[in-house]
Amino acid sequence: RFLGDYVENLDKSQLKLSIWGGNVVLENLQIKENALSDFDVPFKIKAGQIEKLTLKIPWKNLYSEAVVATLDGLHILAVPEGSIQYDAEKEEKQLQENKQKELLRIEEALEKAARKGKEKEEKTDTFGEKLATQ
């Protein structure tokens, strides 16, 4: 879903999946010409290829650990783009949006940690404690 915005020939025949190992390997991906258009860089891609993309997915700790992406053999032919102009207002807006996303991510992590703490407190009643309260 996310890679489709940046690569063209994404299909199941390229996919090598090791579920228990947590690795997803994609090979010989063609980079789209408009892959970097949303980033307002002063160049555009004429051609590009990724020989091997490896995603290490921590299936057991999916919510608490990061997914690691490794690119092997990244080849890009880029040409200058003269039509892009600097927009300070757009950059400031983007920075504010990134800060808000980061704050939301931190708040969600804190709420999740607090919920886990409550669950552990509720589960810590031992057999003896339960017997004593009855």
Side-chain angles (χ1 to χ4, degrees), residues 120-134:
K120 285 184 180 180
E121 288 176 9
E122 292 172 1
K123 293 179 182 178
T124 57
D125 291 341
T126 63
F127 177 73
E129 290 172 342
K130 289 180 182 178
L131 188 60
T133 57
Q134 291 182 358

Side-chain angles (χ1 to χ4, degrees), residues 84-113:
I84 295 178
Q85 297 197 2
Y86 177 71
D87 185 356
E89 190 174 309
K90 186 175 181 180
E91 183 176 351
E92 182 64 29
K93 184 179 177 185
Q94 184 66 33
L95 287 172
Q96 288 298 327
E97 287 176 3
N98 289 343
K99 288 179 184 177
Q100 290 295 327
K101 286 178 186 177
E102 183 66 17
L103 287 172
L104 284 173
R105 187 189 67 75
I106 291 170
E107 287 175 359
E108 288 173 358
L110 289 173
E111 288 175 4
K112 184 177 177 181

